[in-house]
Amino acid sequence: MRKFKLSPKVSLVLWLFVFPATLFGLGLWQAERASQTLSQSSALSQELRAMLAQVKKIAESEPGAILTFQGDEGPNSLSAMVAVPQIQTAVDQADEDLEISSIRQPIPWGTAAGALLAFVSAIVGLATAAIAGVRARRSQDQLVKSFERLRNTLPFVFAALIIGICVSTVCASLFEAISIGLWTDLSAASAKLFVAGLVLAGVAIYSAYVALRGLKDVFALFTPEPLDVSGHRIDEAAAPGLFRFVRDLADRQQAVLPDTIIVGLTQGFFVTESALRLWPEDEIVTGRTLYLPAPYLDLLDEPEVAAIIGHELAHFSGKDTIYSQRFTPIYAGLWRSLAALRRAGDHDFVLNPAVLLGFHAIEQFDRAVNHWSRIREFDADRNGTRSTSTVGAASALIRTGLILPALEQVLSHVAGNPPVAESSDTRPDLVSHTSDLVRASGWSDPVPLLEDRQPHPTDTHPPTRQRIQALGLTVDERLLKIATRPPKPQGLTFASGLFSDWKAICAQLSQDYLSQARAMRAAHRQTLQALAAAVPGETIVYNNVKPTIWAMAIIAVIFIGFGLTVTVLPAETGFANDDFTRILVAGVAMFGVAGCGIYVVYLQKSAARPLMILTPTELQTSMLDTPVAWIDVAAHQVFASNRFALRLWMDPSALLPAKKRRALYSKVDRKEHVVTLGAMGIRGMKPAEFSELIGRYHNAAHASKELSRSASEAQTIAADDLRWFRSS
């Protein structure tokens, strides 16, 4: 059955308007009830006190005088002496009701005030988001300013919204809980309602505490975090040609020079003024930074590199990196904040309105962000062509998109199988190998890549085709032929002339990547070994028939009681004059008792046999004709709602076992490739414990399989890698 889910707009209206309005109406209704009850309690107290004074005077002069009182059940006559303590009791009760009414009278206004605070907070939040979103479309500067105002306002709006809902919920619950004290016919049900009201109020208070405590983390999440980047800082001594090239481009564009140039392996070209955390040195880099990917440099010619670096320097001159430094971190911070609130809101209804309001607010900026991102990239493309030709710029856009698949193929190969033994002549150079792969295999089809966006760590870029069209060119055969020309031979590339020792830099970047790949692979292997070692050997589990036996015993007692009643008390049960029916009913009862007894004996015998035998390699069970190998199980789940069952999703290539006839509650679905093993339960285990046990066997088998496969393939892979890298 498909789960019904409200649309975001409907949820927003319900939580921000309907829910507070309902609480506000409830508060007004409670206030009216409180006012009426207070007036009635006050009048009754005064009336009873006056009556008590009169009766006391009569009792002092004539204790035996008979007085008639009008009650709910009619007139009631009592002597004056007897009436005094009863009236005193009524006065005490009326005073207690008056005190309760006085205590609860202001509480409804808390319900209404909290709801009003939540409603106003929602209006303020929505209005702020709408105004900020409109202003953000006017200019980049307005985008940053509007967003800063919004992110400074939202936490306080969130806090007011949460406090308002919590105050309203707590007051409404307390009012109804206190109101139970005014009931004259208190009972066990009344006491349960009172406790329920207090529990609901307690839950609301605790939810408010947790929500507000978590809300303070929103401020911390806005703090920009350094961007993690893998690469090396390059100085002018290591790349004199590169620094001259960049200075020349900056002079021609009248652009600002970067403070730092980083050469890496795995990212695309980008510039930023945000803080970077450089790996593997764990160094924090600040200021204007230009990042250059070595594999791209090795496959691009001078006009293409000039176009790309000119494009990136244009971001400096256009103050785009300042925009990114001010806007991108807080924009990402707000997303992190809302994601954290959403995770908390899944278990806390108090946070739902704040989460919905937050996501609605940030969505108002998405269109403006995309709009200005496109404009910034188009402007940077045009400025970048000042340092080269438009054809070079267009070719660079296509060629960088083609480099990425080749680079990913190389990196994924060595990440999965990093070479272990290295020497000076076999140390891999992933940069040159990427170029060699293109020389040997050619480029991939460029047409599907024209709609892709260039990789960038902070902003989205427009599609490549649109960027080329914005330069005044069309993607034709001539342009594609230029972009897909073969790479130059090693040592003759444009990049090799920019650095003092280009090969050493590429080797160092490759070594860093391989070291990280080995560390990740070693950690993965340790995880597999831990999973494989966690298997507990052989485990025998039995069907838990005890609850069913108890149920049969209770049913048998009911049958016995019914049969004895009909037999011993025929007159009282209406069977005194119908011997046949009495005998028939008694016989049915005896048959029921016998049936329960036979079923109990069957259960006890079946419980003595193992339900399942779990071994490190397979699951054996009497419900199937053949065991189930753990490596053939893709996933599993234990169900315990209606009937206990272990469901196994089998690998599509696995041979399915057949179900035995006596396994009534088991099933083998060959169409869906699912095996379901039914039971009454697992003796001595809760469903979660049994599921964890199955998971240990399942994970251990797959871990052992992967370890065995890795060991058998290691020699072949190592030899292939040695030949692969030597050929590079």
Side-chain angles (χ1 to χ4, degrees), residues 511-535:
Q511 178 63 28
D512 292 342
Y513 183 83
L514 291 171
S515 297
Q516 186 180 29
R518 290 190 196 96
M520 294 178 64
R521 188 171 177 82
H524 180 61
R525 184 174 181 81
Q526 289 178 356
T527 302
L528 292 178
Q529 290 172 341
L531 289 173
V535 65

Side-chain angles (χ1 to χ4, degrees), residues 336-416:
R336 291 198 305 272
S337 305
L338 295 175
L341 285 177
R342 171 177 281 175
R343 287 192 296 271
D346 290 340
H347 307 287
D348 191 347
F349 78 96
V350 174
L351 282 174
N352 273 337
V355 172
L356 291 170
L357 176 59
F359 277 105
H360 173 78
I362 200 172
E363 285 170 2
Q364 305 307 303
F365 278 84
D366 286 345
R367 186 174 298 176
V369 170
N370 292 333
H371 170 74
W372 292 115
S373 176
R374 292 165 62 88
I375 290 177
R376 290 165 56 229
E377 293 306 318
F378 289 143
D379 289 343
D381 285 340
R382 284 190 291 270
N383 290 331
T385 57
R386 297 178 184 176
S387 306
T388 184
S389 64
T390 54
V391 173
S395 174
L397 289 171
I398 298 174
R399 199 169 176 88
T400 51
L402 296 173
I403 293 171
L404 183 60
L407 177 60
E408 287 180 340
Q409 182 177 345
V410 172
L411 296 182
S412 62
H413 177 83
V414 298

Side-chain angles (χ1 to χ4, degrees), residues 64-290:
I66 301 300
L67 304 177
T68 302
F69 300 92
Q70 185 66 36
D72 294 336
E73 298 179 357
N76 186 18
S77 298
L78 297 172
S79 66
M81 185 64 68
V82 174
V84 168
Q86 293 190 9
I87 297 174
Q88 183 64 55
T89 301
V91 169
D92 294 340
Q93 182 62 50
D95 289 343
E96 184 178 341
D97 291 349
L98 180 60
E99 184 177 358
I100 293 175
S101 300
S102 301
I103 291 173
R104 75 172 193 155
Q105 187 184 23
I107 295 178
W109 299 111
T111 304
L116 186 61
L117 175 62
F119 189 85
V120 171
S121 300
I123 294 294
V124 171
L126 292 173
T128 303
I131 294 171
V134 171
R135 289 179 175 175
R137 299 183 184 95
R138 297 176 182 173
S139 67
Q140 289 190 57
D141 189 54
Q142 277 293 324
L143 172 63
V144 176
K145 289 180 179 178
S146 298
F147 194 79
E148 285 181 342
R149 291 193 194 101
L150 179 67
R151 68 105 173 181
N152 289 328
T153 303
L154 275 183
F156 297 101
V157 172
F158 288 167
L161 186 59
I162 291 171
I163 291 173
I165 290 177
C166 289
V167 167
S168 185
T169 306
V170 169
C171 289
S173 302
L174 287 178
F175 179 86
E176 298 301 337
I178 294 173
S179 299
I180 296 175
L182 298 175
W183 297 3
T184 57
D185 53 343
L186 288 176
S187 62
S190 306
K192 290 179 181 178
L193 288 174
F194 179 73
V195 172
L198 292 180
V199 168
L200 181 59
V203 169
I205 294 173
Y206 177 75
S207 298
Y209 167 72
V210 172
L212 293 175
R213 186 182 64 180
L215 195 61
K216 71 177 182 179
D217 295 335
V218 172
F219 295 93
L221 289 172
F222 283 133
T223 304
E225 289 290 330
L227 181 69
D228 291 317
V229 171
S230 175
H232 287 272
R233 185 201 294 259
I234 301 297
D235 57 21
E236 190 162 1
L242 175 62
F243 275 77
R244 284 195 304 270
F245 186 70
V246 172
R247 273 197 295 267
D248 182 57
L249 292 175
D251 290 340
R252 276 188 273 171
Q253 294 183 204
Q254 296 182 340
V256 181
L257 281 169
D259 300 317
T260 305
I261 297 179
I262 295 174
V263 176
L265 189 69
T266 57
Q267 305 255 7
F269 293 89
F270 70 88
V271 291
T272 184
E273 288 192 50
S274 300
L276 302 177
R277 182 183 291 107
L278 202 58
W279 184 90
E281 286 83 3
D282 196 22
E283 174 189 1
I284 301 297
V285 178
T286 57
R288 295 184 299 273
T289 302
L290 170 64

Side-chain angles (χ1 to χ4, degrees), residues 558-579 581-583 585-586:
I558 294 173
F559 274 124
I560 292 172
F562 190 65
L564 289 176
T565 302
V566 171
T567 304
V568 177
L569 302 172
E572 287 78 358
T573 55
F575 294 103
N577 300 319
D578 193 345
D579 294 337
T581 303
R582 185 174 70 252
I583 294 172
V585 170

Side-chain angles (χ1 to χ4, degrees), residues 536-543 607-615 620 682-685 690 693 697:
E538 183 179 274
T539 303
I540 301 176
V541 295
Y542 295 89
N543 207 356
R609 298 188 300 269
L611 178 68
M612 301 176 194
I613 300 177
L614 312 178
T615 72
Q620 303 170 10
I682 303 299
R683 187 193 304 171
M685 284 189 195
F690 180 65
L693 179 65
Y697 279 100

Side-chain angles (χ1 to χ4, degrees), residues 462-605:
T464 301
R465 187 184 296 274
Q466 290 185 16
R467 295 176 69 179
I468 293 175
Q469 292 172 348
L471 293 173
L473 298 176
T474 57
V475 181
D476 54 17
E477 249 183 75
R478 173 176 168 270
L479 181 59
L480 292 177
K481 187 175 181 180
I482 294 173
T484 57
R485 68 190 182 279
K488 290 184 177 180
Q490 289 187 21
L492 299 179
T493 62
F494 175 65
S496 61
L498 299 177
F499 296 83
S500 300
D501 192 344
W502 173 241
K503 191 170 182 63
I505 290 175
C506 294
Q508 184 60 56
L509 294 173
S510 302
Q511 178 63 28
D512 292 342
Y513 183 83
L514 291 171
S515 297
Q516 186 180 29
R518 290 190 196 96
M520 294 178 64
R521 188 171 177 82
H524 180 61
R525 184 174 181 81
Q526 289 178 356
T527 302
L528 292 178
Q529 290 172 341
L531 289 173
V535 65
E538 183 179 274
T539 303
I540 301 176
V541 295
Y542 295 89
N543 207 356
N544 185 21
V545 299
K546 185 180 291 186
T548 307
I549 289 176
W550 276 106
M552 291 297 102
I554 293 172
I555 294 173
V557 169
I558 294 173
F559 274 124
I560 292 172
F562 190 65
L564 289 176
T565 302
V566 171
T567 304
V568 177
L569 302 172
E572 287 78 358
T573 55
F575 294 103
N577 300 319
D578 193 345
D579 294 337
F580 175 78
T581 303
R582 185 174 70 252
I583 294 172
L584 178 63
V585 170
V588 170
M590 291 178 62
F591 181 80
V593 172
C596 290
I598 293 171
Y599 189 49
V600 166
V601 172
Y602 167 77
L603 289 176
Q604 288 179 334
K605 288 185 177 181

